[in-house]
Amino acid sequence: MTNDDMMIHDLAVLKARLAADAQRDGVLDIAYRVVDSPVGQLLLAATEQGIVRVAYAREDHDAVLQTLADKISPRILNAPGRLDAVARELDEYFAGARREFDLPLDWRLSAGFRSTVLHHLPEIGYGQTASYAAVARLAGNPKAVRAVGTACATNPLPVVVPCHRVVRSDGAMGGYLGGADAKRLLLDLEAAA
């Protein structure tokens, strides 16, 4: 083992110990990690209540972490072990072995009608799509089509809460937080199953 390898190993051990100590001492409010996926790197963040944020690289992970610090708590630490279950379920999803997520979710970053919309999105079955208008009806406000679009565009839990399954009434994909390529990949992945 080279000196550089030993330093990298020692740093990893130190980070793991710091994360464990922070968790034990109750000073870790948000754990995060970054995982590779077919749609690029995803930032995963969780509180004690559950996963609170999934962020695409195009959202700027540093800015996302700053927003979490501002809105929830500045006690954030890269503690990958606490997100092992989330990473495993995402891997299973991208491998086509998982159709729905079985994770505790922390919904605190969405409120009001946006939260109502997001809570209804898992009702759109795997491999299916629904129009913004149909989701507005599901959420109890048929005229709130644009508000559904806003809720999807600000979804703090993309992929896990499937806003990618919401499309325009004419069948066109519409916008997506992760970009058009990511939305197409997710829809194609689910359609192939």
Side-chain angles (χ1 to χ4, degrees):
M1 190 179 268
T2 68
N3 282 342
D4 286 344
D5 291 339
M6 287 176 45
M7 263 195 327
I8 291 170
H9 175 268
D10 290 347
L11 184 58
V13 169
L14 180 62
K15 281 183 171 180
R17 189 171 59 218
L18 178 61
D21 290 350
Q23 179 76 24
R24 182 197 66 231
D25 295 341
V27 296
L28 175 58
D29 293 332
I30 303 170
Y32 77 91
R33 78 187 278 180
V34 176
V35 297
D36 290 323
S37 80
V39 291
Q41 289 193 324
L42 297 173
L43 172 87
L44 311 175
T47 64
E48 286 294 322
Q49 288 79 34
I51 185 163
V52 70
R53 193 68 168 86
V54 175
Y56 285 95
R58 70 185 286 166
E59 296 179 76
D60 182 358
H61 291 167
D62 290 336
V64 170
L65 291 171
Q66 184 60 55
T67 299
L68 291 171
D70 295 343
K71 291 186 174 186
I72 298 175
S73 171
R75 297 187 319 183
I76 300 174
L77 187 62
N78 183 355
R82 201 158 120 194
L83 290 138
D84 282 346
V86 178
R88 184 186 71 253
E89 288 199 19
L90 281 167
D91 284 344
E92 292 168 356
Y93 170 79
F94 286 117
R98 175 173 289 280
R99 291 178 174 238
E100 56 188 51
F101 293 92
D102 185 30
L103 299 166
L105 304 178
D106 182 337
W107 293 97
R108 77 177 80 188
L109 295 177
S110 63
F113 186 70
R114 289 180 185 178
S115 179
T116 301
V117 168
L118 297 179
H119 278 81
H120 282 287
L121 295 182
E123 296 173 26
I124 306 168
Y126 182 92
Q128 305 295 313
T129 59
S131 70
Y132 292 96
V135 174
R137 286 190 300 275
L138 271 175
N141 191 344
K143 294 182 179 187
V145 175
R146 291 178 69 112
V148 168
T150 300
C152 290
T154 58
N155 179 3
L157 298 166
V159 183
V160 175
V161 176
C163 58
H164 61 274
R165 296 178 188 155
V166 183
V167 297
R168 293 175 29 175
S169 294
D170 64 4
M173 282 195 325
Y176 185 60
L177 181 64
D181 290 341
K183 186 169 187 169
R184 172 57 49 211
L185 188 144
L186 295 171
L187 292 173
D188 289 349
L189 169 79
E190 293 185 6

